[in-house]
Amino acid sequence: MSRVFVARAIAGNALQRLTAAGHEVEVWPGNLPPHPIELRDAVADADGLLSMLTERLDAALLDAAPQLKVIANYAVGFDNVDLAATAARGIAVGVTPDVLTDATADLTFALLLAAARRLPEAQQAVIQGRWRTFEPRGWLGASVHGASIAIVGARGRIGGAVARRARGFDMEVIPVNRGDDLHAALARADFVSLHTPLTPRTRHLIDDDALAATKPGAILVNTGRGGLVDQDALARALREGRLRAAALDVTDPEPLPPDDPLLAAPNLIVLPHIGSATHQAREAMAEMAVDNLLAGLADEPLPYPAPQR
Ligand code: DGY
């Protein structure tokens, strides 16, 4: 029998397969992640760990988990895991690709449309009783159909799914992949959508220089990772009106403190990292995470391993 620590309750019943296989499962109670010290204590005698992107799994944490054989990260991203440190300790790392691709691409489009057509402002006007009559000049927004969209990380699964949706809206897709000229693409695009993984190379990819190169009045959408954007630079670009709007499902940190200057910037939509938050996607992610755990605990190759970069 092995011991598995699960860093938060997850959707669906997949964890029952672990207990049915004879493993002991401890689920961290409550909606907040364990504090790093609590996590360190919890993994001290764990053979398997089901982690979220909120758990920083670095060398120090892994040193506190001498029995750990397998980490099943409940995400397709794995920037929270130090893969060099897990490899050095022979710990297998799994992720949950594919099943959240369409959910995340759908949310990307929801954000894009909401920002372009100013849905949050328009809804507030109705709710607050400020809408009096049909307004011929009210809440004018940006056209989505026929506009151009730079998809940063277009070769990835989610980037590709966003490109398919964009083509359905008759948009011109400008793919941006590693090695392409990002600034040239930004200069042409009415919308910019970020789907590249967060690595040391891509941290603050969208910085002051990138925003200066961006077409005036463009809309930025980020459903990837908050760290892709220099948020101080973004707040400046919004305040100065160089960007028409930004719509973010991810920030750095998450959540932003209520007094973070970005939250006071105009024309900003921020969501609480819900890209994969459909019943179907989150339950499928749970099944994949459990598949990874069962394989790792049995010393078998993981069905959904984290890709090596
Ligand atoms: C991921 O999978 O990386 C998302 O950000 C959370 O579902």
Side-chain angles (χ1 to χ4, degrees), residues 18-272:
L18 289 169
T19 39
H23 301 305
E24 186 190 312
V25 177
E26 181 195 345
V27 180
W28 182 253
N31 291 326
L32 291 177
H35 182 277
I37 293 173
E38 294 167 321
L39 180 63
R40 197 191 58 197
D41 292 346
V43 296
D45 58 352
D47 306 284
L49 169 62
L50 196 157
S51 51
M52 318 276 140
L53 50 88
T54 40
E55 277 66 63
R56 176 135 305 284
L57 306 180
D58 55 15
L61 189 278
L62 300 175
D63 284 341
Q67 283 169 221
L68 197 61
K69 286 174 151 182
V70 53
I71 294 169
N73 211 37
Y74 189 68
V76 67
F78 47 90
D79 46 282
N80 59 311
V81 185
D82 180 340
L83 285 191
T86 52
R89 290 158 182 78
I91 300 170
V93 179
V95 289
T96 62
D98 296 318
V99 293
L100 47 70
T101 298
D102 285 309
T104 308
D106 288 349
L107 188 88
T108 303
F109 249 78
L111 279 172
L112 185 154
L113 289 163
R117 301 300 300 272
R118 304 171 60 187
L119 300 194
E121 283 170 78
Q123 192 204 16
Q124 281 308 307
V126 174
I127 288 173
Q128 294 168 1
R130 287 186 282 112
W131 182 50
R132 313 272 303 263
T133 183
F134 170 77
E135 292 188 32
R137 292 180 301 169
W139 299 292
L140 302 182
S143 284
V144 172
H145 72 276
S148 53
I149 179 169
I151 300 185
V152 181
R155 243 183 243 134
R157 297 181 192 86
I158 299 171
V162 170
R164 285 194 293 281
R165 283 155 179 75
R167 289 193 192 98
F169 277 80
D170 292 331
M171 297 178 88
E172 179 202 350
V173 173
I174 306 168
V176 187
N177 293 301
R178 193 171 182 168
D180 290 344
D181 186 340
L182 171 67
H183 288 197
L186 294 176
R188 284 172 54 204
D190 300 306
F191 294 86
V192 177
S193 194
L194 305 180
H195 303 287
T196 192
L198 179 63
T199 66
R201 190 185 59 80
T202 62
R203 177 169 290 281
H204 289 190
L205 190 67
I206 303 299
D207 58 6
D208 273 314
D209 289 345
L211 290 164
T214 299
K215 184 171 175 177
I219 291 178
L220 175 72
V221 181
N222 187 8
T223 56
R225 285 289 183 269
L228 296 172
V229 177
D230 174 344
Q231 294 174 165
D232 295 336
L234 175 60
R236 277 192 289 278
L238 287 169
R239 274 199 306 271
E240 291 166 15
R242 286 184 278 125
L243 281 185
R244 184 190 294 263
L248 313 175
D249 185 40
V250 289
T251 56
D252 181 21
E254 290 180 356
L256 287 175
D259 59 352
D260 190 286
L262 181 62
L263 293 178
N267 304 321
L268 176 75
I269 300 174
V270 186
L271 299 182

